[in-house]
């Protein structure tokens, strides 16, 4: 399994570099990127750090476990694992952030003052666990968005543009999906598909496209009647070309906003699924779920919740901030003159 | 007259309405010679725009061209062509410009790229070649600083400049026919004259025929060679510009001309045609103008007037004209 994620990382990085090189050839994209950097430097850096952590957590290989335990010796361990060495870098049970002694009993810790956010009930370092959650969150958010947006665009734009039978069909599908409580459908799908990151992404994707599809359909309906679409038709432009050259660019800003909003909504809905016990292992949702009971202890154990929540909050905020700026930049009507 | 570039024969267009389809255009026959400028004049709702759209088969659903209609362009029946061939004619052989330059350009694409699309759609020109051609076209339609302007977005251009871009786009493939649907209605008076000059000059220098749709006799006077007057989905009179402007036969054409403000009529009350165009499907029997005609008599309410030839180039559909020509 390890090699799949390694290859994916290489492909992703190569794809991103290629995309950046292609985009940098066009003045429009170069200027947009520069403008985005000018407006949202901090948020971009934050997202960059998250992506970097997720990539570090995705590259893994077997061997090098220090404790020589048979269980871990043959498991592939990622770079994050190798930095933190969780097999040895742990305590017996809870310890407070940067504490020198255990939370219960006051025994001297193995690594006093080294756990920035303390340790959980099994003595695992909270910073390490929270960082492991980054990859899960990005994976769920990005993969499901990439699943949702093409489906919603395909259905929404073709329903809006061609109308009649296609519209009827898509609308029927949307109504059926919207009539079932989405959480119920989600749970049923996960039960049918089985637990796992990919399965949850698919389940979230199947239930999540309706909203954006409706927006895309409405916007296409409006654009179909636009004078410039008539003008394009009078020039002899084919329907497919009209969709790609005239409709899609005019809803590009919607795609970007929706990508960001779905992305963050998906990361958050995974938390809810974890709360119901059908989430992804190692996610922030699971950490928050476990922290539920800890909050009722006296003295309170708050660092588990804090670790997951801070990262969740930071990621969602950064993505939303960037999406907001992207929308302004992508829409030439709100773009500043004379650049 | 030489072989016409485009001729409409018995063109009827219908839209569905309560209790069957209603014909909004009925039995229109027209022809345009190569290089000629024909103005189609009429009030709003008389069917002139939909006639223009029919020429490139772009009538919006659920409108339909009725069987029995023929549209001959360069000797081919456009109504019998497959969709792909029709698309090859649009833009390449027949160009179109619309009333609203403000909204006829894609707001998120640079204008140069939009004109380039028009070129690359119909030729195998490379992007660099097509871009050079766009600059030439922009120069031709009088856009100052074309090299910089091709990178402009529509919202950065004025209405007049946008209409020039639209004309450049329509003329990009040197079409044989340019259909201009109220090209100056949305522009102010000084720009209007410039755009009309441009259309006339382009038509003269490239030999492109122009079908100009307008409700404005000022526009007719400036550019048209021939004029067709439409009322309630029918051509009621046609003739050369001089004939129609100086000697209109049909009472509707006379009424339209009288309702133009003139310098020598200062101080007098402007005449008008009473009422408005009846809606499609509610047209009166007999002559369709009989509800508003100042000269209406009994025969008009019963019998549909036939087309009466007044001169080799002028004809009208009116019982009065028929009686006069017989006398």
């Amino acid at each position: 399994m390890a090699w799949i994620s390694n290859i994916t990382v290489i492909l992703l990085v190569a794809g991103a570099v290629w995309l950046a090189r292609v985009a940098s050839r066009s003045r429009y994209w170069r200027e947009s990127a520069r403008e985005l950097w000018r407006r949202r430097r901090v948020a971009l850096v934050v997202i960059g750090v998250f992506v970097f952590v997720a990539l570090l957590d995705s590259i893994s290989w077997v061997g090098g476990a220090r404790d020589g335990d048979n269980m871990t010796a043959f498991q592939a361990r990622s770079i994050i694992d190798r930095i933190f060495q969780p097999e040895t870098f742990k305590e017996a049970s809870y310890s407070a952030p940067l504490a020198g002694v255990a939370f219960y009993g006051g025994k001297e810790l193995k690594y006093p003052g080294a756990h920035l956010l303390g340790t959980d009930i099994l003595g695992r370092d909270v910073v390490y666990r929270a960082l492991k959650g980054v990859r899960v969150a990005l994976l769920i958010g990005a993969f499901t968005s990439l699943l949702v947006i093409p489906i919603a665009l395909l259905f929404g734009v073709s329903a809006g543009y061609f109308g009649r039978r296609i519209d009827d069909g898509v609308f029927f599908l949307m109504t059926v999906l919207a009539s079932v409580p989405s959480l119920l459908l989600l749970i049923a799908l996960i039960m049918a598909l089985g637990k796992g990151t990919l399965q949850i992404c698919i389940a979230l994707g199947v239930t999540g496209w309706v909203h954006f599809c409706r927006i895309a359909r409405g916007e296409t309906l409006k654009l179909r009647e636009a004078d410039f679409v008539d003008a394009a038709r009078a020039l002899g432009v084919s329907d497919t070309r009209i969709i790609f050259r005239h409709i899609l660019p005019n809803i590009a800003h919607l795609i970007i906003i929706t990508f960001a909003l779905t992305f963050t909504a998906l990361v958050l809905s995974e938390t809810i699924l974890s709360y119901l016990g059908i989430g992804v292992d190692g996610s922030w949702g699971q950490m928050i779920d476990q922290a539920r009971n800890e909050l009722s202890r006296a003295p309170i154990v708050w660092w588990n919740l804090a670790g997951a929540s801070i990262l969740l909050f930071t990621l969602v905020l950064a993505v939303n901030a960037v999406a907001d700026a992207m929308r302004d930049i992508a829409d030439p009507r709100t773009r500043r003159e004379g650049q | 007259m030489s072989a016409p570039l485009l001729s409409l024969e018995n063109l009827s267009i219908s839209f569905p309405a309560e209790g069957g389809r209603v014909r909004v255009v009925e039995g229109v026959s027209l022809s345009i010679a190569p290089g000629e400028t024909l103005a189609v004049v009429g009030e709003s709702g008389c069917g002139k725009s939909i006639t223009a759209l029919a020429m490139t088969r772009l009538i919006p659903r659920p409108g339909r061209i009725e069987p029995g209609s023929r549209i001959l362009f360069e000797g081919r029946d456009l109504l019998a062509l497959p969709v792909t061939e029709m698309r090859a004619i649009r833009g390449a052989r027949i160009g179109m410009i619309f009333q609203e330059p403000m909204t006829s350009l894609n707001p998120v694409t640079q204008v140069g790229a939009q004109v380039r699309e028009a070129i690359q759609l119909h030729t195998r020109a490379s992007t660099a070649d097509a871009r050079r051609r766009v600059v030439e076209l922009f120069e031709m339609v009088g856009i100052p600083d074309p090299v910089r302007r091709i990178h402009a977005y529509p919202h950065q251009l004025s209405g007049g400049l946008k209409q020039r871009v639209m004309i450049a786009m329509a003329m990009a493939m040197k079409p044989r026919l340019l259909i201009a649907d109220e090209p100056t209605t949305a522009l102010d008076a000084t720009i209007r004259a410039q755009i009309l000059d441009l259309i006339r000059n382009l038509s003269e220098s490239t030999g492109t025929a122009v079908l100009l749709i307008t409700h404005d006799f000022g526009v007719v006077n400036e550019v048209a060679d021939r004029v067709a007057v439409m009322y309630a989905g029918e051509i009621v009179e046609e003739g050369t510009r001089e004939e129609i402007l100086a000697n209109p036969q049909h009472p509707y054409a006379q009424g339209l001309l009288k309702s133009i403000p003139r310098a020598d009529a200062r101080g007098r009350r402007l005449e008008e045609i009473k009422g408005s165009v009846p809606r499609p499907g509610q047209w009166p029997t007999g002559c369709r103008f009989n509800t508003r005609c100042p000269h209406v008599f009994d025969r008009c309410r019963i019998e549909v007037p036939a087309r009466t030839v007044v001169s080799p180039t002028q004809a009208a559909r009116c019982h009065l004209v028929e009686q006069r020509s017989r006398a």
Side-chain angles (χ1 to χ4, degrees), chain B residues 74-96:
Chain B
E74 296 180 320
R76 287 196 287 178
D77 187 356
L78 294 186
L79 297 179
L81 286 184
V83 177
T84 45
E85 279 184 50
M86 189 64 233
R87 231 164 23 221
I89 287 178
R90 284 179 206 145
R93 312 294 296 164
I94 303 178
M96 273 186 111

Side-chain angles (χ1 to χ4, degrees), chain A residues 23-258:
Chain A
S24 72
R25 270 186 228 140
S26 138
R27 220 183 68 155
Y28 173 76
W29 288 106
R30 253 199 333 266
E31 275 170 9
S32 301
R34 203 168 298 144
E35 183 66 17
L36 187 65
W37 175 248
R38 206 182 59 78
R39 291 191 193 190
R40 291 287 188 272
R41 206 163 297 178
V42 179
L44 282 173
V45 169
V46 168
I47 293 176
V49 170
F50 273 94
V51 171
F52 183 67
V53 169
L55 288 179
L56 285 187
D57 198 21
S58 300
I59 300 170
S60 58
W61 63 92
V62 177
R66 258 182 227 165
D67 65 345
D69 184 334
N70 280 341
M71 286 293 284
T72 51
F74 300 103
Q75 266 173 10
R77 292 152 72 248
S78 73
I79 295 178
I80 291 281
D81 296 332
R82 283 161 202 277
I83 291 170
F84 278 89
Q85 297 288 351
E87 302 82 5
T88 51
F89 185 61
K90 64 179 185 187
E91 308 298 335
S93 184
Y94 289 120
S95 70
L98 296 176
V101 292
F103 192 61
Y104 294 113
K107 253 177 71 183
E108 180 84 7
L109 291 177
K110 259 183 7 190
Y111 298 92
H115 301 288
L116 195 63
L117 275 171
T119 54
D120 68 359
I121 190 163
L122 297 173
R124 294 174 294 188
D125 186 69
V126 172
V127 173
Y128 166 74
R129 292 200 67 204
L131 286 181
K132 289 290 276 184
V134 171
R135 178 172 177 262
V136 178
L138 290 190
L139 210 63
I140 289 175
F143 189 76
T144 315
S145 297
L146 290 180
L147 208 69
V148 164
I149 287 170
I151 296 178
L153 273 182
L154 178 76
F155 284 158
V157 172
S158 52
Y161 188 81
F162 295 107
R164 298 203 284 188
R165 289 248 179 87
I166 298 177
D167 195 23
D168 292 345
V170 170
F171 222 85
F172 175 76
L173 209 62
M174 291 201 307
T175 323
V176 168
L177 274 178
S179 67
V180 182
S182 66
L183 200 59
L184 208 63
L185 189 63
L186 210 56
I187 294 169
L189 273 169
I190 292 168
M191 291 305 169
L193 294 168
K195 263 178 91 171
T197 316
L198 188 69
Q199 284 87 336
I200 285 188
C201 286
I202 292 171
L204 284 169
V206 168
T207 51
W209 61 272
V210 175
H211 176 66
F212 181 45
C213 183
R214 191 170 291 143
I215 298 173
R217 176 182 169 273
E219 205 63 18
T220 310
L221 269 177
K222 201 175 77 189
L223 287 170
R224 186 181 67 175
E225 307 292 328
D227 287 340
F228 61 83
V229 171
D230 285 340
R233 266 196 215 108
L235 275 175
V237 183
S238 64
D239 286 335
T240 355
R241 224 181 130 79
I242 287 178
I243 288 176
F244 280 102
R245 292 269 308 173
H246 297 282
I247 307 258
L248 286 183
N250 273 292
I251 56 177
H253 59 286
L254 276 181
I255 301 175
I256 290 169
I257 304 161
T258 316

